Amino acid sequence: MAIPIAVLDCDLLLYGRGHRTLDRFKLEDVTDEYLVSTYGFPRQFIYYLVDLLGASLSRPTQRSRAISPETQILAALGFYTSGSFQTRMGDAIGISQASMSRCVANVTEALVERAAQFIHFPEDEATVQSLKDDFYGLAGMPGVLGVVDCTHVAIKAPNAEDLSYVNRKGLHSLNCLMVCDARGVLLSAETHWPGSLPDCTVLQQAALTSQFETELHKDGWLLGDSSFFLRTWLMTPLHIPETPAEYRYNMAHSATHNVIERTFRTIRSRFRCLDGSKGTLQYSPEKSSHIILACCVLHNISLEHGLDVWSSPATGHMEQPEEEYEQMESMDSEACRIRQELLLTHFS
């Protein structure tokens, strides 16, 4: 006689011995339309994730009945794309809400372990040049290696360090620093910064800054908005443009930088757990940071698979707290010289 799902222990469900898995849901039994509407992705994409993450999600123990990697991935995708542990979601794949939560944790950690594989700057010269060419094709801005910005994701109030996560709007959040290419592929994602930190402070303390100042890309730069300081490797708009060349530079800068705003909208629209419409992420800052990063990995994988249609803004998402832009012009004379040379060479 089958054991009722409600009485099965969560750990017993998730981990099992050998290949004895609990499979109450089969991908081949449903349509692609159903998979996309319920889990956000088509069948072949889900099969790819099973191949990618299967080894991490099949951990042998002394218990006997485990949830298959396929079912764990469906549970996690259901949460990422809907933003809730709805009972009907667990019912559809034959697991409890508690097991849904553990599946999300397992899949999230498996994706985070692979973040460096899918989120990174290109290294070979041909790919770097292609990156610059793609950006130049948008609005004529040369030498661009990526566009950078921050976005806030709402989280529940943590038990410790409460005030450090309160942003300028009085809400608890993580301030996430990201860089993308001209297609919206993420090249860098730091998702752990407390919401109280302004964007310029996040960048100052970020691994991204160390990467660019000590290792990479002496022949190009990132584009950032006025919430950041001008640097030799980070071109910002002119605070008060006066000449035609300065206006042209600012217009090209804005049109190019807009790519990351569209990328943020796409991520929030695809992964509704991040957009605020279902409430805040009900996890610690560390776990919330991992969920955000896991969604970033899935975003890049989806672009690799051609799922790259730009989405409209998601409803109910947290707006970016406004930064103080005064006094953000550079104090770096070399950075000012580089921007002025860019103005004279390409926009005069």
Side-chain angles (χ1 to χ4, degrees), residues 323-340:
E323 299 288 345
E324 293 290 341
Y325 289 167
E326 302 300 326
Q327 307 299 320
M328 298 305 286
E329 281 295 327
S330 179
M331 294 173 282
D332 184 334
S333 59
E334 178 63 12
C336 290
R337 185 196 66 77
I338 291 174
R339 185 171 64 180
Q340 188 62 30

Side-chain angles (χ1 to χ4, degrees), residues 69-87:
E70 179 179 293
T71 302
Q72 291 187 60
I73 287 167
L74 288 173
L77 292 179
F79 168 70
Y80 298 146
T81 59
S82 74
S84 65
F85 292 114
Q86 297 177 8
T87 301

Side-chain angles (χ1 to χ4, degrees), residues 116-148:
Q117 177 182 347
F118 293 99
I119 303 175
H120 57 82
F121 284 91
E123 296 181 358
D124 64 281
E125 292 185 9
T127 307
V128 170
Q129 186 58 51
S130 178
L131 187 67
K132 294 179 183 179
D133 292 343
D134 289 345
F135 275 118
Y136 187 79
L138 294 178
M141 180 69 76
V144 180
L145 299 165
V147 289
V148 59

Side-chain angles (χ1 to χ4, degrees), residues 132-322:
K132 294 179 183 179
D133 292 343
D134 289 345
F135 275 118
Y136 187 79
L138 294 178
M141 180 69 76
V144 180
L145 299 165
V147 289
V148 59
D149 207 349
C150 288
T151 187
H152 286 251
V153 175
I155 62 171
K156 72 173 184 178
N159 295 325
E161 299 183 76
D162 184 74
L163 293 179
S164 69
Y165 292 93
V166 178
N167 63 37
R168 290 173 57 83
K169 290 193 172 184
L171 303 173
H172 291 86
S173 68
L174 290 169
N175 195 2
C176 305
L177 178 74
M178 301 187 193
V179 180
C180 74
D181 70 9
R183 285 184 56 227
V185 175
L186 295 173
L187 306 175
S188 177
E190 299 184 35
T191 60
H192 62 283
W193 297 102
S196 66
L197 293 180
D199 293 0
C200 61
T201 303
V202 168
L203 181 61
Q204 182 179 0
Q205 299 179 10
L208 179 69
T209 293
S210 175
Q211 185 180 22
F212 268 79
E213 290 189 344
T214 61
E215 301 175 18
L216 292 176
H217 311 311
K218 303 302 183 183
D219 57 345
W221 40 72
L222 303 180
L223 295 188
D225 65 18
S226 298
S227 61
F228 301 116
F229 288 106
L230 179 70
R231 299 169 185 258
T232 57
W233 49 268
L234 177 64
M235 294 293 103
T236 60
L238 289 132
H239 187 54
I240 304 176
E242 296 177 346
T243 68
E246 290 175 346
Y247 276 102
R248 285 192 288 269
Y249 167 86
N250 271 14
M251 289 177 63
H253 187 292
S254 177
T256 306
H257 189 267
N258 185 54
V259 171
I260 199 162
E261 298 300 332
R262 297 167 68 193
T263 299
F264 288 158
R265 292 197 298 268
T266 296
I267 292 172
R268 291 182 185 279
S269 181
R270 178 169 280 158
F271 303 107
R272 300 301 293 272
C273 68
L274 307 182
D275 78 356
S277 66
K278 300 294 184 179
T280 62
L281 285 174
Q282 297 297 303
Y283 298 91
S284 68
E286 180 181 8
K287 289 183 178 180
S288 295
S289 170
H290 285 186
I291 288 172
I292 300 166
L293 185 55
C295 290
C296 290
V297 173
L298 286 172
H299 168 76
N300 275 10
I301 296 175
S302 70
L303 293 181
E304 282 190 7
H305 284 73
L307 306 176
D308 57 355
V309 177
W310 291 107
S311 300
S312 59
T315 58
H317 71 269
M318 176 180 288
E319 296 293 338
Q320 175 74 14
E322 293 183 3

